[in-house]
Structure formats: structure tokens, C-alpha cells
């Protein structure tokens, strides 16, 4: 049972480049979320999804897009990377709205 | 609006000391859930406990214990006889039942350093 799998683990981008952070879970969880973690800021919610085809914005959605075409996958897209998006990104999933979240191992992203 | 405050940014203790991590939350909902997560230096997030708003019983798990007090909107975490392996960032988080579709809202975390 792999749980929540994030790829890549590390990435360096140049300002203006685009990329997609991948997130997949094999637990058949309906709820999935993306967070970013910055020093002293805790984990801040970027986007979340309550099921395939349904997404919504969290606290810090600007500069990011998401889609949920399947239950398993929830990719996060940076359309035009900016240095302010340098962060560690975590994907999470949970079975129902108030169950504990299972987290991936994170993606460390640097924007130069 | 929901909010989680962890006022202690960093705590340093010596092994075998007891340490309490504070968590204060704000919510308008009468049904909600509180969580604690641990993030060791390796970076992964580890679930420790979930407590719902109707269960004010304190919980003990080995050296860990949690004190939930609705009257003060607090959900504090105590580590007894701390060990070096307890060194980590600890996050408190809140989920409201009325907003069950949203994800958890986290505090900013408390960094615990345990020295030998």
C-alpha cells in the first residue's frame, strides 16, 4: 500500500517556467488537498478537492491550478513560476471530511 | 472563521524533562475536530491524534498525553520524560464539521528541541 505518492521530490525551476507537481493516492480517498510549507508559516492550504471533478480554492491559491479527473490523482500546476513559490509542497488525502489526513513525503521546489 | 494558534515558536528542553505544547483554536462550529501532527527532521508529517468536540476526555498514549478543554478552546499536548527522538516540529490543526469538505487548518507549528 503506497499511500500518497508525490513526484518529483526535488525540482529547480527558472522564473516563468511551468511545471506540474504530481500526487497520487491508492486508498480510494475522496478528499485531497495541496499545502505549501514555508518557514514560520506552518502549512497553508492551496487547493482542495472533495471528489473527482470538484475542486476549490484554499487560503493561497494564486499562481496555482488544479484538476481532479480521477479519484486517484490530484496534480498541482504552476503556470508561470515565481521566486515567491519557492517552498515545500505537500499533498494529502483522507477518506471523509473529518478523518486524519495522510500526507505525501513532499516536493521541495526552488524557483530561481 | 476558523483559526489555530500555537504561541510557542520554539521550545528547548533537556532529556527527561516534561514539556507541554500549547494549542488554542477558534471556531464558530459546535462540531469540530482537532488534530496533532509531528514533523521530524526527515520532513514527513506524522498523524498523532484526532479528537472531536464532544469528547473532552483526556488521552494518554505512552509518554504522550493530550488535554482538551472546550472552556478555554485549548488542546494542549504534553510529552513526559522527553527524549532526543521527540525533537521535531509539532502542528495542531482544526477541521469544522460544517466545512467538512475543506481541508485542515494548521497552526504555525512549535519546534521542539530535546538535547541529551
Amino acid at each position: 500500500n503506497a499511500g500518497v505518492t508525490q513526484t518529483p521530490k526535488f525540482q529547480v525551476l527558472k522564473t516563468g517556467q511551468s511545471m506540474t507537481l504530481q500526487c497520487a493516492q491508492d486508498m480510494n480517498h475522496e478528499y485531497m488537498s495541496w499545502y505549501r510549507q514555508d518557514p514560520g508559516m506552518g502549512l497553508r492550504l492551496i487547493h482542495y478537492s472533495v471528489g473527482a471533478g470538484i475542486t476549490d480554492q484554499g487560503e493561497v491559491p494564486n499562481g496555482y491550478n488544479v484538476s481532479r479527473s480521477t479519484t486517484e490523482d490530484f496534480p498541482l500546476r504552476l503556470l508561470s513560476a515565481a521566486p515567491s513559490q519557492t517552498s515545500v509542497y505537500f499533498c494529502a488525502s483522507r477518506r471523509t471530511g473529518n478523518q486524519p489526513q495522510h500526507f505525501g513525503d513532499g516536493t521541495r521546489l526552488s524557483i530561481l | 472563521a476558523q483559526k489555530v494558534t500555537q504561541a510557542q515558536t520554539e521550545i528547548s528542553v533537556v532529556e527527561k524533562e516534561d514539556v507541554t505544547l500549547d494549542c488554542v483554536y477558534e471556531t464558530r462550529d459546535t462540531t469540530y475536530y482537532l488534530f496533532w501532527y509531528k514533523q521530524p527532521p526527515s520532513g514527513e508529517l506524522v498523524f498523532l491524534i484526532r479528537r472531536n468536540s464532544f469528547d473532552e476526555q483526556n488521552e494518554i498514549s505512552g509518554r504522550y498525553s493530550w488535554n482538551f478543554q472546550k472552556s478555554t478552546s485549548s488542546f494542549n499536548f504534553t510529552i513526559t520524560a522527553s527524549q532526543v527522538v521527540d525533537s521535531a516540529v509539532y502542528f495542531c490543526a482544526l477541521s469544522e464539521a460544517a466545512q467538512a469538505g475543506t481541508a485542515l487548518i494548521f497552526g504555525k507549528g512549535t519546534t521542539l528541541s530535546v538535547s541529551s
Side-chain angles (χ1 to χ4, degrees), chain B residues 78-90:
Chain B
T78 297
I79 302 174
T80 302
S82 59
Q83 300 176 1
V84 173
V85 294
D86 296 325
S87 296
V89 182
Y90 291 87

Side-chain angles (χ1 to χ4, degrees), chain A residues 31-33 48-50 56 94 97-98, chain B residues 95-103:
Chain A
Y31 296 82
M32 296 187 74
S33 312
Y48 63 95
S49 169
V50 299
D56 207 345
R94 52 184 171 159
N98 291 301
Chain B
S95 175
E96 296 176 331
Q99 303 293 328
T102 64

Side-chain angles (χ1 to χ4, degrees), chain A residues 31-33 35 37 40-45 48-50 59 88 90 94 96-105, chain B residues 32-33 35 37 39 42-47 50 89 91 95-97 99-109:
Chain A
Y31 296 82
M32 296 187 74
S33 312
Y35 292 87
Q37 183 178 18
M41 301 297 291
L43 285 91
R44 293 183 291 169
L45 181 64
Y48 63 95
S49 169
V50 299
E59 180 186 356
V88 180
F90 286 96
R94 52 184 171 159
T96 62
N98 291 301
Q99 292 297 312
Q101 294 198 141
H102 298 256
F103 284 88
D105 290 338
Chain B
Y32 52 89
Y33 298 81
F35 303 80
Y37 282 83
Q39 187 177 42
S42 51
E44 72 273 22
L45 286 152
V46 179
F47 165 72
R50 181 187 81 141
V89 182
F91 293 99
S95 175
E96 296 176 331
Q99 303 293 328
T102 64
L104 302 186
I105 299 301
F106 285 82
K108 294 184 177 181

Side-chain angles (χ1 to χ4, degrees), chain B:
Chain B
Q2 52 182 329
K3 183 180 179 181
V4 176
T5 301
Q6 295 180 254
Q8 304 151 308
T9 305
E10 296 182 11
I11 301 176
S12 295
V13 299
V14 178
E15 259 193 323
K16 300 184 182 178
E17 284 187 34
D18 299 346
V19 57
T20 296
L21 310 181
D22 297 333
C23 174
V24 174
Y25 61 91
E26 296 177 26
T27 177
R28 296 176 185 170
D29 211 343
T30 56
T31 303
Y32 52 89
Y33 298 81
L34 296 163
F35 303 80
W36 276 95
Y37 282 83
K38 174 182 180 180
Q39 187 177 42
S42 51
E44 72 273 22
L45 286 152
V46 179
F47 165 72
L48 295 178
I49 189 171
R50 181 187 81 141
R51 172 68 71 217
N52 73 57
S53 55
F54 297 108
D55 182 3
E56 289 194 70
Q57 268 194 320
N58 292 332
E59 179 148 344
I60 298 174
S61 176
R63 296 183 297 106
Y64 294 173
S65 62
W66 290 269
N67 178 250
F68 176 32
Q69 292 195 336
K70 289 178 72 171
S71 61
T72 57
S73 297
S74 64
F75 186 43
N76 296 336
F77 173 31
T78 297
I79 302 174
T80 302
S82 59
Q83 300 176 1
V84 173
V85 294
D86 296 325
S87 296
V89 182
Y90 291 87
F91 293 99
C92 181
L94 167 70
S95 175
E96 296 176 331
Q99 303 293 328
T102 64
L104 302 186
I105 299 301
F106 285 82
K108 294 184 177 181
T110 297
T111 300
L112 174 64
S113 298
V114 182
S115 58
S116 57

